[in-house]
Amino acid sequence: MSDFTSVELLWLEKRIENRVRFGRPVSERIIDRHRRVLSFAPGSIFAFVRCTSNDFGAVLSRVDILRAPAPGQRYSTVPWVSPGGESLLRLSGWSKVERVLQLIDGMEALGIDPADAAPDYWHHVHNRLSVNEKPRPYTRARHQAWLHRRRLAP
């Protein structure tokens, strides 16, 4: 059993698209032209986006922002993710997924890697979007506060 968290990515044109929107994989294994597996070290944060369609349009749109668990830590199971991950955000429905992707784009526009953002922020986004409220934007000041807090933690 590996200490890494594996995410299987699948792309079937106009049917299934599983992709990682952000994160720092430590390895990549190509299975075939439609599938590959990314592995993440314990503690890594990544976004996993799943979209499924049929002849009539989108059937499923989901985004999970997960933290890869360390051996012995608790985790939630997520399809295509082995063994699973600590769920920081889990939303479904295209409008909510699109809003999360816009927030990620906003972070990157500030020069902040979303994988380095405060995990509490992803909880905040999940909670606000779950009840159709607008989440607070992630700012450089909030990010600096998170980096200082992380440095002071034992």
Side-chain angles (χ1 to χ4, degrees):
M1 176 94 184
S2 170
D3 291 346
F4 296 116
T5 297
S6 299
V7 181
E8 185 174 342
L9 306 179
L10 174 64
W11 181 78
L12 298 173
E13 187 174 4
K14 298 182 182 179
R15 295 288 179 196
I16 298 173
E17 181 181 357
N18 294 347
R19 65 186 172 103
V20 169
R21 174 57 182 83
F22 69 78
R24 292 187 199 94
V26 293
S27 70
E28 177 181 10
R29 183 170 49 101
I30 297 173
I31 297 171
D32 58 35
R33 62 187 211 134
H34 299 288
R35 296 180 303 153
R36 62 191 174 115
V37 176
L38 299 180
S39 296
F40 293 89
S44 298
I45 295 175
F46 60 94
F48 181 46
V49 181
R50 295 181 284 153
C51 298
T52 304
S53 302
N54 63 20
D55 293 336
F56 303 104
V59 175
L60 169 83
S61 298
R62 171 162 282 157
V63 61
D64 289 278
I65 297 181
L66 303 164
R67 182 172 17 209
Q73 277 186 323
R74 294 182 304 173
Y75 57 84
S76 299
T77 58
V78 177
W80 307 93
V81 179
S82 179
E86 177 189 349
S87 182
L88 304 177
L89 176 146
R90 179 176 218 164
L91 292 167
S92 58
W94 177 246
S95 63
K96 292 176 182 175
V97 170
E98 183 178 38
R99 185 66 185 122
V100 171
L101 296 174
Q102 290 168 351
L103 290 168
I104 292 167
D105 290 342
M107 273 185 200
E108 291 174 336
L110 292 173
I112 299 169
D113 186 335
D116 294 330
D120 292 346
Y121 180 72
W122 297 120
H123 288 294
H124 163 75
V125 171
H126 169 87
N127 292 334
R128 297 296 291 210
L129 291 178
S130 292
V131 294
N132 296 318
E133 292 289 328
K134 184 178 179 180
R136 292 185 304 269
Y138 196 74
T139 62
R140 284 190 178 107
R142 181 181 302 265
H143 188 62
Q144 288 303 313
W146 158 242
L147 295 176
H148 289 300
R149 194 170 73 222
R150 187 173 66 180
R151 238 186 329 267
L152 295 174

